[in-house]
Amino acid sequence: MPTQAKLDTLAELKQRLAGVKTAVLAEYRGLTVRQLSELRKQLRGASAECRIVKNRIAKLAIAGSPLGGLSSHLKGPTAIVFSAHDPVAVAKTLHTFGKTNQQLLVKAGFQLLPATELRRLADLPSRDALRGQLVSTLQGPLAQLVGLLRAPLRDLVSVLDQHSTSLAKREE
């Protein structure tokens, strides 16, 4: 018979996981409490949350939801990182934290992305950087077009200027 505390934990986890855009399972074996606290702090900055619950409770919480495919990866000490916001920010945060703390191993993510795919996602430029690249890509051809459209007028002005200069020299 499950205890009331376990039932409450299960209900809370189900509620928190409802409607998440990103869910990542990571093994935290070997991390200290201080390192886990630092990870949680960094994830809060990315609008994400890190929860450590018993695998059995996590399996019950994701059963029947879109996250159900992750249940096969719930073995050993596993932290669930989830967010209802930007998945790239979560991946980048985990990737950055993993560089300095090799004990954190990403197991799988929402839609069963392997760890290598999550790393590639983390290496993507930010949204603002992508917008800047798009603007610079569009700006080059447009500047050339403006230059081509101004060329006949510029050439005409140059010819008229040379003609007026030559007329002025003749009158002298």
Side-chain angles (χ1 to χ4, degrees):
M1 187 89 177
T3 64
Q4 187 60 40
K6 288 182 182 178
L7 291 174
D8 292 342
T9 302
L10 176 63
E12 179 193 0
L13 189 59
K14 274 187 176 183
Q15 177 190 10
R16 289 193 180 275
L17 291 175
V20 297
K21 287 185 179 179
T22 307
V24 178
L25 300 180
E27 185 174 325
Y28 62 91
R29 184 177 306 184
L31 290 176
T32 64
V33 173
R34 179 174 285 161
Q35 289 170 325
L36 279 171
S37 296
E38 180 61 28
L39 174 62
R40 285 185 170 115
K41 181 180 173 183
Q42 290 178 15
L43 286 168
R44 272 193 302 273
S47 300
E49 185 177 341
C50 177
R51 293 287 307 262
I52 297 172
V53 294
K54 293 186 177 222
N55 291 337
R56 184 164 172 76
I57 292 174
K59 284 179 184 179
L60 290 171
I62 63 175
S65 74
L67 301 173
L70 295 174
S71 64
S72 63
H73 297 280
L74 288 167
K75 294 180 178 117
T78 305
I80 303 172
V81 178
F82 53 92
S83 173
H85 301 289
D86 188 17
V88 175
V90 173
K92 282 184 184 250
T93 302
L94 287 172
H95 184 66
T96 304
F97 185 82
K99 284 181 182 177
T100 57
N101 301 288
Q102 277 91 25
Q103 297 93 343
L104 182 75
L105 298 173
V106 175
K107 291 181 177 183
F110 185 73
Q111 298 176 348
L112 293 177
L113 292 176
T116 55
E117 294 295 322
L118 285 171
R119 281 190 209 101
R120 277 202 294 167
L121 183 64
D123 290 336
L124 284 175
S126 68
R127 182 178 293 188
D128 291 338
L130 287 173
R131 285 179 181 159
Q133 290 173 359
L134 177 64
V135 167
S136 65
T137 301
L138 293 175
Q139 187 177 11
L142 289 176
Q144 287 178 342
L145 177 64
V146 168
L148 287 172
L149 293 175
R150 286 185 177 175
L153 284 175
R154 186 177 55 241
D155 293 345
L156 177 63
V157 168
S158 176
V159 167
L160 291 175
D161 185 46
Q162 289 174 0
H163 183 67
S164 67
T165 306
S166 69
L167 286 177
K169 284 183 182 179
R170 284 187 197 165
E171 292 178 359
E172 291 178 359

